[in-house]
Amino acid sequence: MRHARHRTAMPSGFTLIELLVVIAIIAILIGLLLPAVQKVRESASRMTCQNKMKQLGLALHNAHDALGAFPSGQVVVGQSGSCPNQSSPTTNARVPWSVALLPYMEQENLYRQFNLSGTFAINRQFLTDPSTDALNKVAQVTPMPAFQCPSDPRMAGSPLTSYLGVAGGGPTTGCPCVSTNTSNFILWTNGAFFVNSVVKLTDISDGTSNTYLVGESKYQVADLVGGTTEKRGLWSGGVYLNSGWRYYANLAAAVEPINQPAGIPDYNGGSVRTNETVVGRTFGSMHTGGCNMLFADGSVHFMPSATDVNIHRSLGTIADGLPVGGAP
């Protein structure tokens, strides 16, 4: 009897070309998927940032109900005259709006760690200043996530801030506080928060839906043109005032366009912006294409970088008496 011969089939494998094609397809799929994942992640971070700012808005309104006005942007003792100026600028800075807000955002324990009658460090540089109150030095380096945007990787575990009170807006023309130093650093006083401010909702005659309260800023901690790491701001920073240099750590004015970097001409005379001029005159964020701004009615809006600078400036003021964007 003949036995049928069975040929055993050899297992087939991938050829080198087939393997390379599969790898290429996987790489293409990853390349297509990664931007989508990053976009979803950034969208989530932006939403988290907006929620944090909404919580700040709620706390500010609670503080207003309790105090009869919003907290002062920066408390400074011994001030006189229309333009803030101190003969001893490192010893006169007191509690900023961000610290005064703590009891209204369920941070009573941290609030009690501060000495409100003591001197506050203006920024990281002044944490070593002997005039800064010892209790405040310790409390000021406490990280405060409620003031930090999750899209900014520099914030994690630091005492820095992403959210600045809006001191005002508009061009420098007519501003009484133009610095005499080459920093050209100016303190606006036509917004919701400035030195020794006592602003009530009834003072916001432009309308609460047309007025900024707080905005995002990536410039407080950036290594900018002409800047140093020493002047990086604290979420609980005070203010530095003298006849030449004036700068605050957690306030800014709506003057330059949103997300405009240092190293290019400014909108008030054409001089090149340095670290000092950008920090107090520009809002911007790590989000793509703009930044979040908290309005006086408690709403948060994403303002595109392309927002007309005149509209941006008008929204920074509380009572310019003009429609948003200026005169018709």
Side-chain angles (χ1 to χ4, degrees):
M1 180 182 289
R2 292 184 178 180
H3 297 282
R5 293 182 180 179
H6 298 282
R7 182 177 293 176
T8 303
M10 295 296 291
S12 60
F14 287 107
T15 65
L16 179 59
I17 293 177
E18 289 173 330
L19 183 61
L20 291 175
V21 169
V22 171
I23 293 174
I25 292 174
I26 294 174
I28 292 172
L29 291 175
I30 292 175
L32 293 173
L33 183 62
L34 189 59
V37 171
Q38 291 175 335
K39 186 175 182 179
V40 170
R41 182 178 298 174
E42 167 53 23
S43 178
S45 294
R46 194 168 94 176
M47 185 175 296
T48 300
C49 177
Q50 290 176 334
N51 287 335
K52 286 187 176 186
M53 296 186 76
K54 286 180 181 178
Q55 292 302 311
L56 290 179
L58 179 61
L60 283 167
H61 277 263
N62 288 339
H64 184 282
D65 290 343
L67 305 173
F70 291 119
S72 293
Q74 300 278 359
V75 174
V76 177
V77 298
Q79 179 198 326
S80 61
S82 59
C83 185
N85 184 36
Q86 297 297 323
S87 58
S88 300
T90 61
T91 60
N92 294 96
R94 296 294 185 270
V95 58
W97 71 274
S98 50
V99 173
L101 193 62
L102 291 177
Y104 306 97
M105 46 193 301
E106 299 182 353
Q107 292 291 334
E108 185 72 32
N109 290 337
L110 179 57
Y111 180 73
R112 291 176 180 176
Q113 295 178 33
F114 286 94
N115 177 13
L116 303 186
S117 61
T119 301
F120 279 69
I122 301 160
N123 48 41
R124 282 186 165 183
Q125 177 183 2
F126 285 91
L127 284 171
T128 60
D129 194 298
S131 66
T132 301
D133 184 87
L135 289 176
N136 291 341
K137 284 182 180 180
V138 175
Q140 284 189 272
V141 297
T142 302
M144 189 56 181
F147 288 95
Q148 298 175 336
C149 173
S151 292
D152 192 338
R154 302 166 300 180
M155 293 292 154
S158 78
L160 304 174
T161 182
S162 301
Y163 308 133
L164 311 182
V166 180
T172 60
T173 304
C175 179
C177 303
V178 178
S179 173
T180 59
N181 194 282
T182 55
S183 71
N184 193 33
F185 206 74
I186 301 162
L187 299 184
W188 270 259
T189 58
N190 57 351
F193 299 100
F194 48 89
V195 175
N196 292 340
S197 62
V198 185
V199 174
K200 303 177 181 179
L201 283 171
T202 53
D203 296 326
I204 305 178
S205 59
D206 288 348
T208 56
S209 62
N210 295 322
T211 305
Y212 294 146
L213 279 187
V214 176
E216 277 193 272
S217 176
K218 61 184 177 182
Y219 301 104
Q220 284 285 32
V221 295
D223 294 318
L224 300 172
V225 176
T228 66
T229 57
E230 290 182 341
K231 289 186 177 179
R232 291 183 173 181
L234 300 166
W235 70 269
S236 54
V239 63
Y240 184 92
L241 307 171
N242 68 13
S243 59
W245 294 88
R246 299 186 179 95
Y247 57 88
Y248 23 51
N250 54 12
L251 299 177
V255 180
E256 303 293 341
I258 294 170
N259 274 337
Q260 293 299 299
I264 61 176
D266 65 21
Y267 274 64
N268 294 285
S271 60
V272 174
R273 286 176 292 202
T274 64
N275 182 56
E276 286 77 19
T277 59
V278 170
V279 167
R281 296 163 59 173
T282 310
F283 289 96
S285 76
M286 293 293 188
H287 307 301
T288 302
C291 70
N292 291 313
M293 300 295 292
L294 169 67
F295 283 67
D297 64 356
S299 63
V300 176
H301 299 278
F302 186 77
M303 303 297 293
S305 300
T307 300
D308 182 88
V309 67
N310 291 316
I311 293 177
H312 181 55
R313 289 173 170 179
S314 295
L315 293 172
T317 67
I318 64 173
D320 64 6
L322 298 172
V324 172

